[in-house]
Amino acid sequence: MRKLLFLLTICCVQLPLMAQDVMEQINQVKLEGGHLTAQYSHESVDTAFLMGKKDILHQLNMKGLGLFKLDEIESKVKHLDMHRGNQYRVFSYLKLSDISRKANSHQQEEKLVIVPKFDAKEESSTTTHVANNAHKTNEVRNVQQPTEDLPTQIARDIMNKRDHLAALNALNAKKNMGQIIDCGPFSKSTNIDEVYIAIFDRNSAAPLAVLSPTVNGKRTNLITKSEDSLSNYHGCRAIWFKF
């Protein structure tokens, strides 16, 4: 009996020490910097690992280093885990210096714009003649094309779909690519204020709007860039997604 109590005491002492050691390693990673990190708790440690890797993949794809797939980075993602109660708490991290910029990394495109010649009648005055010659000179300028952020790009993609099912399929594809973290029907969403909402016509299921998460009690329509609200779409279909 004494031996059993001794073993139980040793186990009770070792578990907190192990948890403390893991927390020290986590803090060291955070202090070192230069990492993408994610933290999840789940009854299955493998599920928590997967959730962490998908979260880091999404963060990486937002960095502008290129569009990566899960199998390209999962060997580089490391995990620290602790068992608490009936769940595993997993801290996942990826060192950015282990990732090389891909050829498909997003770059702002530049194009040449040629200003047409100024078509005017020649004047006898020398001053006017010089001015007209200046207008006739072709001007070549480097113009940077404006780029949209990822939420707006996805919103426009949704608006080009024929119905809510096609939009949901597209969102699931983006989830698999790591461009969004998750998506689903409005009825199955939690923390509705923290997610993007795509609105669809009740009858035709055609897209009507895509709304941002709630900020200071208000949402923004990603298409019109104006303030909007779920209350403007009573009776409509909806799906959610989040970054």
Side-chain angles (χ1 to χ4, degrees):
M1 184 67 179
R2 289 181 179 178
K3 185 176 181 180
L4 178 60
L5 289 174
F6 176 75
L7 290 173
L8 288 173
T9 302
I10 292 296
C11 290
C12 290
V13 171
Q14 284 182 336
L15 286 174
L17 288 176
M18 291 172 62
Q20 182 179 355
D21 182 56
V22 171
M23 287 304 301
E24 288 177 356
Q25 292 180 64
I26 290 173
N27 289 335
Q28 184 59 41
V29 170
K30 291 180 177 179
L31 285 172
E32 182 181 340
H35 293 84
L36 298 178
T37 64
Q39 191 164 296
Y40 285 91
S41 296
H42 200 275
E43 294 176 358
S44 165
V45 68
D46 290 334
T47 299
F49 283 165
L50 180 60
M51 293 166 70
K53 285 186 286 191
K54 285 186 174 181
D55 192 328
I56 286 175
L57 175 64
H58 164 70
Q59 295 179 53
L60 179 61
N61 284 340
M62 295 285 285
K63 283 284 183 183
L65 300 176
L67 292 179
F68 292 81
K69 295 180 180 178
L70 189 60
D71 58 5
E72 293 178 298
I73 69 161
E74 57 185 349
S75 64
K76 295 181 174 67
V77 178
K78 297 179 176 138
H79 309 277
L80 295 168
D81 64 275
M82 295 177 288
H83 198 187
R84 290 194 171 179
N86 64 341
Q87 290 196 328
Y88 289 91
R89 181 184 177 189
V90 174
F91 177 83
S92 304
Y93 60 101
L94 171 69
K95 196 169 185 177
L96 277 172
S97 61
D98 291 340
I99 299 297
S100 299
R101 181 183 290 272
K102 295 185 71 173
N104 65 357
S105 59
H106 178 70
Q107 299 287 341
Q108 286 189 320
E109 296 180 357
E110 294 187 351
K111 71 174 185 178
L112 296 179
V113 177
I114 299 177
V115 179
K117 291 182 179 179
F118 183 83
D119 186 14
K121 294 180 180 180
E122 295 292 333
E123 301 291 340
S124 57
S125 167
T126 303
T127 304
T128 305
H129 179 73
V130 172
N132 284 340
N133 282 342
H135 279 295
K136 289 179 181 180
T137 303
N138 288 343
E139 297 180 14
V140 180
R141 301 190 182 101
N142 288 327
V143 179
Q144 287 192 333
Q145 293 292 88
T147 57
E148 295 178 331
D149 56 26
L150 188 56
T152 302
Q153 291 176 25
I154 292 178
R156 293 196 182 281
D157 187 32
I158 289 173
M159 294 300 291
N160 287 328
K161 302 305 177 187
R162 67 179 181 276
D163 55 33
H164 71 291
L165 293 177
L168 187 56
N169 287 337
L171 287 173
N172 277 316
K174 294 180 187 301
K175 175 182 173 182
N176 292 334
M177 292 172 60
Q179 292 185 330
I180 63 173
I181 292 177
D182 206 357
C183 61
F186 184 85
S187 59
K188 296 183 180 179
S189 174
T190 57
N191 299 325
I192 201 68
D193 285 338
E194 300 176 5
V195 298
Y196 291 81
I197 305 292
I199 311 294
F200 302 84
D201 185 85
R202 167 59 64 180
N203 298 318
S204 67
L208 299 176
V210 180
L211 308 185
S212 72
T214 301
V215 178
N216 297 325
K218 300 176 182 179
R219 291 184 187 266
T220 299
N221 187 314
L222 270 64
I223 304 302
T224 64
K225 301 300 182 183
S226 58
E227 184 181 324
D228 208 338
S229 171
L230 285 175
S231 62
N232 294 328
Y233 303 95
H234 284 305
C236 292
R237 301 174 186 268
I239 57 179
W240 62 272
F241 61 98
K242 74 179 210 176
F243 292 90

